[in-house]
Amino acid sequence: MDLTVMPAGAATGAMNWLLVTAAGVTLFSLVLAWLGSLIIYGKIAALRKVFPATHNIIRCHVDYLIMASLLGLVYFSCLHLGIALPTAVIVILCIGVIYNPIGFLFQAIDPNFGKSDSVAGRAVVLLGFLPATIGFGYAMIAILGRLL
C-alpha cells in the first residue's frame, strides 16, 4: 500500500472530492428528511402513493448522514496525518457513498426492490456494498498505518 505523504494542511484536488461528496449527500439527505416529514406529518397522499414504504426514506436519510460523517472523518484524518489517498480510492469511495444508501430509496418506492430468491440476485445486491467497503477500508488501514 502506497501511503504518499502530503504536507499537513495541504489537501489535493482529489481529496477535496471527499468533502464535495459529503456535502452533496448531506443536502440530498435533507431533501429526504423533508420528503419523509411531508408524508408522515403532512399526510400528503400523493407522496404516500409514490413512496409506500416511507420508513425506507428515513433509513436512506440516516444512512447518507452516516456516510457524510465518515467521509468527513476520512478527509480530516488524512489531512491531519498527511495522508494522500490514491485518486482511484477516492473515486471508489465517493461512488460507494452515493450508491450504498440509494437502495433504501428504491425500497421506499418498491418494497420488494433488491429482494431476490436467487443466488445471483443476492450476489448483485452484496456486490453493491463493495465500493464503500473498499474505499473506507483502505482509508482506515492507511490511517491506522500512520498512527501505529
Side-chain angles (χ1 to χ4, degrees), residues 123-140:
V124 168
V125 170
L126 290 172
L127 287 173
F129 301 138
L130 279 177
T133 302
I134 291 167
F136 282 122
Y138 186 101
M140 293 305 138

Side-chain angles (χ1 to χ4, degrees), residues 3-10 15 75-85 142 146:
L3 295 179
T4 306
V5 176
M6 68 177 169
M15 290 290 288
Y75 176 84
F76 287 110
S77 296
C78 288
L79 189 65
H80 175 73
L81 297 170
I83 299 169
L85 295 174
R146 185 59 52 88

Side-chain angles (χ1 to χ4, degrees), residues 68-123:
S69 299
L70 289 172
L71 278 179
L73 171 73
V74 168
Y75 176 84
F76 287 110
S77 296
C78 288
L79 189 65
H80 175 73
L81 297 170
I83 299 169
L85 295 174
T87 301
V89 171
I90 293 167
V91 170
I92 290 168
L93 181 52
C94 291
I95 289 169
V97 162
I98 293 167
Y99 177 80
N100 193 304
I102 201 76
F104 289 128
L105 185 58
F106 294 141
Q107 284 183 329
I109 297 168
D110 176 8
N112 292 317
F113 178 83
K115 296 178 181 172
S116 177
D117 291 332
S118 74
V119 172
R122 291 191 304 269

Side-chain angles (χ1 to χ4, degrees), residues 17-30:
W17 278 101
L18 298 174
L19 292 182
V20 169
T21 303
V25 299
T26 299
L27 287 173
F28 186 60
S29 179
L30 292 172

